[in-house]
């Protein structure tokens, strides 16, 4: 709520010489102007400057004071050791020479005391609410003035100008705009969770439209404000203090029945501190209040079960509860609030969608939000939006954001959260006035302070009622004595010559008090009937019961707490409403780059010298076998392609180096390049050491427990490591495998216990084995020998055979010469000279590790194996493979061909030409792509080329 400025009171003639409050940045010229006496500076060094002030007015003439002051300045040119300015204060002196008593004080101390007094005045009188009734002075005065005017919820409306005038004239001598703005805010259902004033007319909107002038609008109290804040104000529940001119009394507090500070929240900026308290749900607030009454030792976590978080009047989504828990525990925390949205399908044919904003965060300007979205779309900072419309009306909020065809609604929505105020942070700073001092408090401390205050209110109300009941019973008892001796009373009154004599005679005759005698004299004749006597007897009995209950209530704090709980539950049953803000426990609402990046498929190309680039799958269109291919882009001098793979933007990409170190980075962090670009050096993405090369890249979507990484070195050492061992990799990398001198890590593949592995050497020797036969080791180990290599031979490639796609491998191994040689799956061999072939997997038998293996490829002179893949698990209707292979030459030329176009041959055949390498060097790397993964891109690429 907006703090109300307090005007500086005009000093009286006796107060004029006193120093006013001033800041520490006060200039010397200002000091001289504040001095109550004419001051002439001596013609000496600046060190002799003094600030002169007077505690009390001097009783000499101005001329004498002027002369004496001039002499005093010359005589008291004193200065302390640290260069502080010293104030000289005069007091009255009875000596004839007019001399005065000099009091030395340091200027910075005087400034500090005066400034602190000013700061406390702002804190207590304007900016901060009281913890007990949750109101600032201006709001308290407005509600009390309306109560005094009789503007109850059942009475007609009255002009706001009438209320503002009442407040200004009697209680709050400040600007009328400040009072009217506070009144308007208490009537806005989008500003307060439970409005305290019922408005009639234009009281503003959530679009920050200003309210109409006070002469047009009307108001009266809400029923909740009467029941919660003003119900017991006439029963001596709170102290009344004089108003600003001591002409009337105003309440220092209102007897609140609920913690209004938490119900409607508060905000204000004071001197050196501020407050920002969120609103809460009334029903939940009563529940948590009852819990604390029954169990004062309840923890904050236990209280959160009944009041899980703030409940903003504009609704929204509260992201996570860590900030809420911190705010409730310490009084300071951050709550992330998102607007509530839906995704609607506009056109089922074109599949165009729209994001519908139904609620926005608290204190967010809807019109400004829509303008901000439009600006971002126009400046190309926000993609995927085609139109924005505000269709809000009296039934509710509805902002329609139409998306372009093909746009991902979740990505656009995350961008809206990140770039606009559709997601905002409410910084809780729960500071209030407690015992005359500002204090930051947590939820439990705030509630306990209210309970203590409410106990005081109930006790004062009970004592007030008890006093009145006892006084009334005393009078009724005297009246009943008079009714019992009616003839004597009438006789005494008839014989008395005056009222005073009759009163004295009654007191003496029937032993009555003065009040009882006066009450008997005030009774009219018509009330001397027998029926009236019965009424007085019934009243006496009722008063006796009431006094007994009040005395019982005051005898125990437990009884008082039970009454507080009962009154709070009554308010809950009458005024509670469903929660508007929804709590989301999924995350803390903090958006990262991954939340606004589509999880699209991409191609990664890595060169031998460590240049990496990201491209779209449609960059390379489909070609026929035996063609030259399309270049993957420019390469550095003496550089060649090393690896080429397919992944998605959100994948964790694990980079394994030749030294056995693994690094990790998200795929989307790789800069996207065109086909002709050279790429980004890996040293700009990873913390590589000198001479370290990346030899294998593994994209990982999820670190599953049942998956492993199979590692194979150039010298034939192999091992398996659980994939979750690499879920947390520091920026400098971690050890993946221990290497013997001269060895390097070359291949890393994903596998499970049920999968199979196919390994091949440069000379074309092949070993098939179960992955479960390979030992599972830790990261900092070397592994076992995979293949017994002949002299000059090295490992060439490795691939994984999924168990789900070949469940009968043992049967095939028993019949290696079966008639199903032409059917898949196959081993696809690719040589460095661009030749390739498919060999049925049934042509190979299972063998243990550390063996020579079977011949898989019969090479010509100076040719070696470049890669081997298991293909044929993804088949078309005719039983042929629908996979594609991407070949990359040393010069960077890329050829993408269908696997089905590669002929099926025996283990000893040479193969067919896959790619002509007349001027492009040898085959550097090969990658396998499933055609179904990028079917849409294929159609587009074929249509274009």
């Amino acid at each position: 709520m907006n703090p109300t400025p307090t005007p500086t009171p005009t000093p009286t003639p006796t107060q004029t010489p006193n120093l006013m409050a001033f800041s520490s940045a006060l200039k010397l010229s200002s000091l001289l102007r504040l001095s109550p006496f004419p001051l002439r500076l001596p013609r000496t060094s600046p060190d002799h400057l003094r600030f002169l002030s007077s505690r009390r007015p001097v009783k000499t003439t101005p001329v004498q004071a002027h002369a004496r002051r001039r002499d005093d300045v010359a005589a008291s040119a004193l200065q302390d050791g640290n260069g502080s300015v010293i104030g000289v204060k005069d007091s009255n002196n009875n000596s004839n020479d007019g001399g005065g008593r000099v009091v030395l004080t340091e200027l910075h101390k005087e400034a500090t005391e005066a400034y602190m007094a000013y700061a406390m005045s702002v804190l207590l009188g304007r900016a901060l609410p009281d913890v007990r009734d949750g109101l600032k002075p201006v709001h308290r005065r407005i509600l009390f003035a309306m109560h005094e005017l009789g503007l109850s919820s059942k009475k007609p409306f009255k002009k706001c100008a009438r209320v503002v005038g009442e407040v200004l004239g009697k209680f709050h001598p400040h600007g009328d705009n400040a009072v009217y703005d506070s009144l308007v805010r208490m009537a806005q259902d989008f500003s307060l969770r439970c409005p305290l004033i019922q408005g009639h007319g234009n009281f503003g909107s959530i679009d920050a439209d200003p309210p109409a002038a006070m002469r047009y609008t009307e108001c009266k109290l809400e029923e909740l404000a009467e029941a919660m804040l003003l119900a017991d104000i006439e029963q001596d529940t709170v102290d009344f203090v004089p108003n600003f001119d001591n002409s009337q009394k105003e309440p220092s507090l209102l007897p609140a029945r609920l913690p209004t500070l938490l119900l409607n929240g508060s905000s204000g900026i004071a001197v050196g501190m501020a407050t920002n308290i969120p609103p809460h749900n009334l029903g939940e607030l009563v529940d948590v209040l009852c819990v604390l009454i029954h169990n004062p030792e309840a923890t904050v976590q236990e209280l959160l079960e009944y009041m899980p978080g703030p409940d903003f009047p504009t609704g929204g989504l509260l992201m996570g509860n860590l900030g809420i828990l911190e705010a409730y525990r310490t009084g300071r925390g951050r709550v992330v609030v998102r607007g509530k949205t839906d995704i609607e399908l506009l056109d089922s044919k074109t599949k165009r969608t729209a994001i519908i904003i139904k609620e926005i965060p608290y204190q967010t300007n809807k019109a400004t939000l829509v303008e901000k979205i439009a600006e971002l779309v126009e400046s190309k900072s926000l993609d995927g939006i085609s139109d924005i419309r505000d269709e809000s009306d009296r039934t509710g909020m509805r902002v329609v954001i139409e998306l372009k065809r093909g746009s991902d609604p979740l990505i656009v929505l995350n961008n809206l959260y990140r770039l606009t105020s559709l997601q905002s942070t409410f910084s809780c700073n729960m500071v209030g006035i407690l015992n005359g001092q500002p204090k930051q408090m947590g939820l439990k401390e705030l509630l306990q302070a209210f309970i203590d205050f409410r106990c005081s209110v109930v006790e004062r109300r009970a004592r007030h009622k008890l006093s009145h009941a006892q006084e009334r019973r005393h009078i009724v008892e005297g009246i009943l004595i008079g009714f019992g001796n009616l003839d004597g009373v009438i006789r005494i009154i008839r014989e008395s010559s005056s009222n005073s004599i009759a009163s004295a005679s009654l007191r003496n005759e029937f032993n009555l008090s003065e009040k009882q005698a006066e009450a008997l004299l005030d009774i009219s004749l018509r009330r001397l009937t027998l029926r009236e006597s019965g009424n007085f007897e019934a009243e006496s009995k009722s008063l006796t019961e009431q006094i007994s209950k009040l005395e019982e209530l005051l005898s125990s704090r437990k009884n008082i707490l039970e009454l507080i709980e009962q009154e709070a539950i009554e308010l809950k049953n009458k005024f509670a409403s469903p929660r508007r803000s929804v709590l989301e426990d999924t995350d803390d609402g903090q958006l990262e780059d991954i939340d606004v990046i589509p999880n699209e498929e991409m191609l990664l190309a890595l060169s031998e010298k460590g240049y990496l680039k990201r491209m779209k799958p449609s960059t390379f269109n489909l070609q026929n076998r035996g063609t030259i291919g399309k270049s993957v882009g420019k390469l550095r001098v003496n550089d060649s392609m090393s690896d080429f793979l397919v992944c998605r933007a959100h994948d964790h990409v694990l980079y394994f180096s030749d030294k056995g170190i693994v690094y990790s980075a998200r795929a989307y962090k790789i800069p996207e390049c065109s086909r002709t670009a050279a790429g980004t050096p890996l040293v700009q993405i990873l913390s590589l050491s000198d001479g370290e090369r990346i030899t294998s890249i593994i994209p990982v979507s999820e670190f599953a427990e049942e998956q492993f990484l199979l590692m194979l070195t150039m010298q034939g050492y192999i091992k398996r490591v659980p994939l979750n061992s690499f879920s947390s990799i520091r920026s400098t990398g971690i050890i993946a495998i221990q290497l013997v001198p001269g060895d390097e890590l070359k291949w890393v593949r994903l596998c499970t216990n049920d999968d199979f592995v196919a390994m091949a050497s440069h000379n074309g020797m092949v070993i098939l084995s179960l992955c479960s036969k390979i030992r599972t080791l830790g990261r900092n180990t070397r592994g076992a020998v995979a293949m017994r290599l002949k002299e000059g031979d090295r490992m060439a490639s490795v691939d994984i055979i999924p168990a789900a796609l070949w469940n009968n491998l043992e049967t095939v191994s028993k019949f290696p010469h079966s008639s199903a040689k032409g059917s898949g799956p196959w081993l696809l061999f690719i040589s460095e000279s661009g030749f390739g072939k498919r060999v049925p997997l049934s042509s190979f038998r299972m063998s243990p590790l550390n063996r020579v293996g079977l011949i898989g490829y019969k090479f010509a002179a100076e040719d070696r194996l470049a890669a081997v893949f298991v293909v044929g698990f993804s088949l078309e209707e005719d039983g042929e493979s629908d996979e594609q292979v991407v070949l990359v030459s040393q010069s960077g030329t890329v050829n993408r061909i269908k696997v089905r176009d590669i002929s099926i041959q025996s283990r000893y055949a040479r193969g067919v030409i896959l790619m002509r390498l007349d001027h492009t060097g040898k085959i550097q790397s090969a990658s396998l792509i499933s055609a179904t993964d990028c079917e849409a891109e294929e159609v587009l690429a074929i249509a274009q080329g």
Side-chain angles (χ1 to χ4, degrees):
M1 300 181 182
N2 298 328
T4 306
T6 303
T8 304
T10 304
T12 61
T14 59
Q15 296 172 333
T16 303
N18 293 332
L19 293 177
M20 307 303 292
F22 55 91
S23 67
S24 58
L26 209 58
K27 296 183 179 179
L28 181 59
S29 59
S30 301
L31 300 181
L32 299 180
R33 286 195 299 270
L34 288 176
S35 177
F37 299 99
L39 180 63
R40 296 183 181 179
L41 298 178
R43 297 181 179 177
T44 56
S45 64
D47 293 338
H48 294 287
L49 297 179
R50 295 294 182 269
F51 174 74
L52 307 177
S53 65
S54 177
R55 287 291 185 185
R56 289 174 292 180
V58 182
K59 294 183 178 180
T60 56
T61 62
V63 176
Q64 293 173 333
H66 183 85
R68 189 180 71 250
R69 177 66 62 182
R70 186 170 59 241
D71 297 338
D72 289 345
V73 169
S76 61
L78 304 175
Q79 185 177 13
D80 61 355
N82 60 3
S84 301
V85 180
I86 299 177
V88 182
K89 301 185 179 181
D90 290 343
S91 61
N92 292 335
N93 197 311
N94 297 326
S95 59
N96 296 328
D97 58 357
R101 181 171 58 88
V102 177
V103 179
L104 301 181
T105 180
E106 294 185 0
L107 180 60
H108 69 89
K109 290 184 179 180
E110 183 72 15
T112 301
E113 294 174 0
Y115 189 75
M116 285 303 297
Y118 163 72
M120 290 302 297
S121 173
V122 174
L123 292 174
L124 301 178
R126 282 190 286 178
L128 299 186
D130 197 293
V131 173
R132 294 168 289 183
D133 64 354
L135 299 174
K136 299 178 185 179
V138 62
H139 305 109
R140 188 180 302 118
R141 289 162 177 169
I142 291 173
L143 294 175
F144 180 68
M146 295 180 69
H147 176 72
E148 290 288 291
L149 287 173
L151 297 180
S152 66
S153 57
K154 298 179 181 179
K155 297 291 182 64
F157 288 95
K158 188 167 286 189
K159 289 290 185 182
C160 292
R162 175 71 177 87
V163 176
V164 173
E166 184 81 4
V167 175
L168 293 179
K170 292 184 177 180
F171 309 116
H172 201 73
H174 302 288
D176 57 345
N177 286 335
V179 176
Y180 184 55
D181 290 344
S182 300
L183 187 151
V184 165
R185 181 173 172 81
M186 286 195 289
Q188 293 175 338
D189 57 357
F190 54 86
S191 295
L192 299 189
R193 183 60 179 84
C194 296
L196 303 177
I197 294 176
Q198 186 176 353
H200 184 247
N202 176 17
F203 276 78
S205 71
I206 200 170
D207 291 331
D209 296 323
M214 67 180 78
R215 60 184 179 273
Y216 301 119
T217 56
E218 298 177 336
C219 65
K220 63 180 179 179
L221 288 171
E222 283 279 4
E223 187 178 0
L224 174 62
E226 294 178 302
M228 182 177 65
L229 295 172
L230 300 165
D232 306 320
I233 196 168
E234 290 90 1
Q235 300 185 23
D236 193 31
T237 51
V238 292
D239 295 330
F240 277 71
V241 296
N243 65 343
F244 63 92
D245 60 356
N246 203 16
S247 62
Q248 299 209 9
K249 296 286 188 179
E250 62 173 316
S252 59
L253 292 170
L254 294 184
R257 295 193 175 188
L258 288 180
T260 314
L261 187 60
L262 290 172
L263 177 62
N264 280 326
S266 182
S267 63
I269 301 175
V271 179
M273 63 181 62
T275 185
N276 200 29
I277 303 174
H280 295 81
N281 183 270
L282 188 147
E284 295 176 353
L285 194 58
V286 172
D287 292 339
V288 77
L289 188 67
C290 296
V291 170
L292 195 60
I293 289 175
H294 289 287
N295 181 19
E297 303 300 324
T299 62
V300 176
Q301 287 83 353
E302 292 173 350
L303 298 180
L304 277 173
E305 296 179 5
Y306 299 89
M307 190 174 71
D311 187 21
F312 296 105
T314 55
L317 304 177
L318 307 183
M319 308 305 297
N321 55 7
L322 293 180
I324 298 173
L325 180 61
E326 185 67 18
Y328 285 170
R329 181 185 290 117
T330 65
R332 183 183 291 272
R334 302 176 65 203
V335 181
V336 178
V337 188
R338 282 183 179 177
K340 191 176 295 183
T341 59
D342 283 340
I343 297 176
E344 293 184 1
L345 184 63
L346 297 179
D347 191 343
S348 57
K349 293 183 179 179
T350 60
K351 296 183 178 181
R352 291 179 64 247
T353 57
I355 297 174
I356 311 299
I357 300 177
K358 295 185 174 181
E359 295 176 1
I360 59 177
Y362 183 51
Q363 294 177 335
T364 297
N365 188 328
K366 175 169 63 66
T368 303
L369 173 63
V370 174
E371 292 176 4
K372 179 65 175 178
I373 296 174
E375 291 176 2
L376 291 173
V377 173
E378 187 176 355
S379 63
K380 307 297 182 181
S381 300
L382 190 58
D383 297 328
I385 296 178
S386 60
D387 190 21
I388 306 172
R389 298 189 307 276
D390 187 358
E391 300 179 355
S392 305
D393 53 20
R394 294 185 177 181
T395 61
M397 183 182 300
R398 179 181 170 86
V399 178
V400 181
I401 302 176
E402 292 188 7
L403 305 183
K404 296 178 181 178
R405 186 171 60 181
S407 298
D408 188 348
L410 295 179
I411 298 297
V412 176
L413 188 57
N414 285 335
N415 272 313
L416 289 173
Y417 288 146
R418 189 178 68 163
L419 300 176
T420 70
S421 57
L422 190 60
Q423 172 175 312
S424 62
T425 301
F426 187 93
S427 298
C428 298
N429 185 24
M430 298 197 288
V431 177
I433 303 298
L434 181 63
N435 298 325
Q437 297 291 332
K439 186 178 181 182
Q440 186 176 73
M441 292 166 282
L443 173 64
K444 187 175 178 180
E445 194 173 359
L446 277 171
L447 291 173
Q448 192 60 54
F450 171 77
I451 291 175
D452 295 340
F453 163 69
R454 186 60 190 166
C455 286
S456 172
V457 169
V458 172
E459 182 179 355
R460 291 183 60 168
R461 183 184 64 185
R463 294 192 183 280
H464 176 77
K465 290 182 177 179
L466 179 61
S467 175
H468 279 263
Q470 290 173 340
E471 291 178 1
R472 179 59 182 169
R473 186 179 66 172
H474 177 68
I475 292 175
V476 171
E477 288 175 351
I479 293 175
L480 290 176
I481 291 175
F483 270 92
N485 302 274
L486 188 58
D487 293 337
V489 171
I490 295 174
R491 178 180 55 80
I492 291 173
I493 294 175
R494 291 183 62 183
E495 294 177 354
S496 300
S497 60
S498 64
N499 291 337
S500 59
I501 295 175
S503 176
S505 300
L506 290 174
R507 292 200 302 271
N508 295 331
E509 180 71 21
F510 302 109
N511 194 21
L512 300 177
S513 67
E514 184 178 353
K515 290 185 178 180
Q516 289 175 329
E518 292 295 333
L520 274 176
L521 292 174
D522 290 338
I523 293 179
S524 59
L525 290 176
R526 69 176 61 189
R527 301 192 64 184
L528 299 179
T529 62
L530 183 63
R531 182 176 181 180
E532 286 295 328
S533 175
N535 291 340
F536 281 113
E537 290 178 356
E539 183 181 1
S540 176
K541 183 179 179 180
S542 174
L543 288 171
T544 302
E545 294 177 356
Q546 182 181 356
I547 290 172
S548 176
K549 291 181 180 179
L550 290 173
E551 288 176 345
E552 182 183 0
L553 174 65
L554 292 171
S555 65
S556 171
R557 179 180 171 88
K558 179 181 179 182
N559 296 335
I560 295 177
L561 292 175
E562 289 179 356
L563 181 59
I564 293 173
E565 179 182 3
Q566 177 183 347
E567 292 175 347
I569 292 176
E570 290 175 358
L571 292 177
K572 173 187 174 181
N573 295 335
K574 189 173 183 180
F575 298 105
S577 59
R579 166 176 276 275
R580 298 179 186 175
S581 297
V582 180
L583 278 84
E584 294 284 344
D585 295 332
T586 53
D587 52 25
D588 58 358
Q590 299 300 322
L591 291 171
E592 299 179 358
D593 293 339
I594 193 173
D595 298 317
V596 296
I597 294 177
N599 193 20
E600 298 175 342
E601 195 175 63
M602 59 177 61
L603 300 178
L604 297 183
L606 176 66
S607 72
E608 283 287 348
K609 290 188 177 295
Y611 286 86
L612 182 67
K613 64 179 176 180
R614 170 165 62 101
M615 298 172 289
K616 295 181 179 179
S618 58
T619 303
F620 303 97
N621 58 334
L622 194 63
Q623 296 180 353
N624 296 322
R625 178 180 64 84
T627 57
I628 297 177
K630 182 186 292 186
S631 173
V632 75
K634 297 179 180 179
L635 295 174
R636 306 297 185 201
V637 179
N638 299 325
D639 196 5
S640 59
M641 290 304 300
S642 171
D643 208 349
F644 197 86
L645 55 92
V646 181
C647 68
R648 291 193 171 272
H650 291 184
D651 288 352
H652 294 269
V653 180
L654 304 183
Y655 300 87
F656 293 85
S657 73
D658 56 346
K659 296 183 179 180
I661 307 297
V662 58
Y663 304 87
S664 177
R666 291 277 190 177
Y668 65 82
K669 292 187 176 180
I670 303 170
E672 185 173 354
C673 305
S674 64
R675 181 178 60 86
T676 57
T680 303
L682 275 175
V683 293
Q684 297 182 7
I685 304 174
L686 309 175
S687 301
L688 300 176
S689 59
D690 293 338
E692 189 175 11
R693 296 182 297 106
I694 297 299
T695 56
S696 188
I697 303 178
I698 299 295
V700 179
S701 298
E702 183 180 359
F703 291 92
E705 295 182 358
E706 66 276 4
Q707 287 190 317
F708 300 86
L709 285 179
L710 185 142
M711 303 180 191
L712 181 64
T713 69
M714 288 290 292
Q715 294 186 6
Y717 288 96
I718 191 171
K719 74 170 183 177
R720 283 191 309 153
V721 181
L723 178 61
N724 53 20
S725 300
F726 303 94
S727 60
S728 179
I729 300 177
R730 54 179 176 266
S731 59
T732 55
I734 60 175
I735 296 175
I737 189 173
Q738 284 285 0
L739 300 173
V740 299
D743 197 5
E744 63 181 52
L745 177 62
K746 186 65 176 177
W747 300 276
V748 181
R749 299 289 185 268
L750 274 172
C751 69
T752 65
N753 278 325
D754 300 328
D755 293 340
F756 300 87
V757 58
M759 296 173 284
S761 69
H762 279 304
N763 291 341
M765 305 304 293
V766 177
I767 284 183
L768 293 184
S769 177
L770 269 170
C771 289
S772 58
K773 299 294 184 181
I774 303 172
R775 292 180 60 189
T776 302
L777 302 173
R779 294 186 295 104
N780 200 5
T781 56
R782 183 182 65 179
V785 177
M787 179 182 290
R788 193 178 301 166
L789 300 172
K790 295 182 179 180
E791 185 177 357
D793 194 8
R794 285 195 171 190
M795 298 304 298
S797 184
V798 64
D799 199 12
I800 301 299
I801 307 170
L805 302 178
W806 190 15
N807 296 322
N808 200 18
L809 185 59
E810 294 182 358
T811 304
V812 175
S813 64
K814 292 180 180 179
F815 304 99
H817 302 292
S818 62
S819 59
K821 289 184 178 181
S823 61
W826 304 274
L827 280 183
L828 172 62
F829 292 90
I830 300 172
S831 71
E832 291 183 348
S833 59
F835 285 80
K837 67 176 181 178
R838 284 185 291 166
V839 179
L841 199 58
S842 57
S843 301
F844 300 89
R845 65 174 181 270
M846 297 286 294
S847 63
L849 300 180
N850 199 8
R851 295 292 188 272
V852 176
L854 299 176
I855 296 177
Y857 206 118
K858 198 73 172 180
F859 292 109
E862 297 182 357
D863 197 3
R864 297 190 308 174
L865 185 66
V868 62
F869 298 103
V870 180
V871 297
F873 297 123
S874 178
L875 302 177
E876 296 181 354
E877 295 180 356
D878 57 357
E880 265 292 355
S881 169
D882 68 346
E883 295 133 327
Q884 300 164 18
V885 63
V886 179
L887 305 178
V888 184
S889 68
Q890 291 178 335
S891 63
T893 302
V894 176
N895 197 2
R896 179 173 166 185
I897 60 177
K898 292 182 179 179
V899 171
R900 66 183 300 160
D901 293 340
I902 304 174
S903 61
I904 302 173
Q905 300 182 359
S906 68
R907 294 191 296 135
Y908 301 95
R910 182 185 177 187
V912 296
I913 297 177
L914 304 182
M915 184 175 180
R916 299 189 181 277
L917 302 173
D918 298 337
H919 305 287
T920 57
K922 298 180 179 180
I923 295 293
Q924 183 65 34
S925 67
S927 300
L928 197 67
I929 301 177
S930 175
T932 56
D933 292 340
C934 48
E935 182 177 350
E937 290 85 352
E938 296 273 338
V939 173
L940 179 60
I942 293 173
Q944 292 176 347

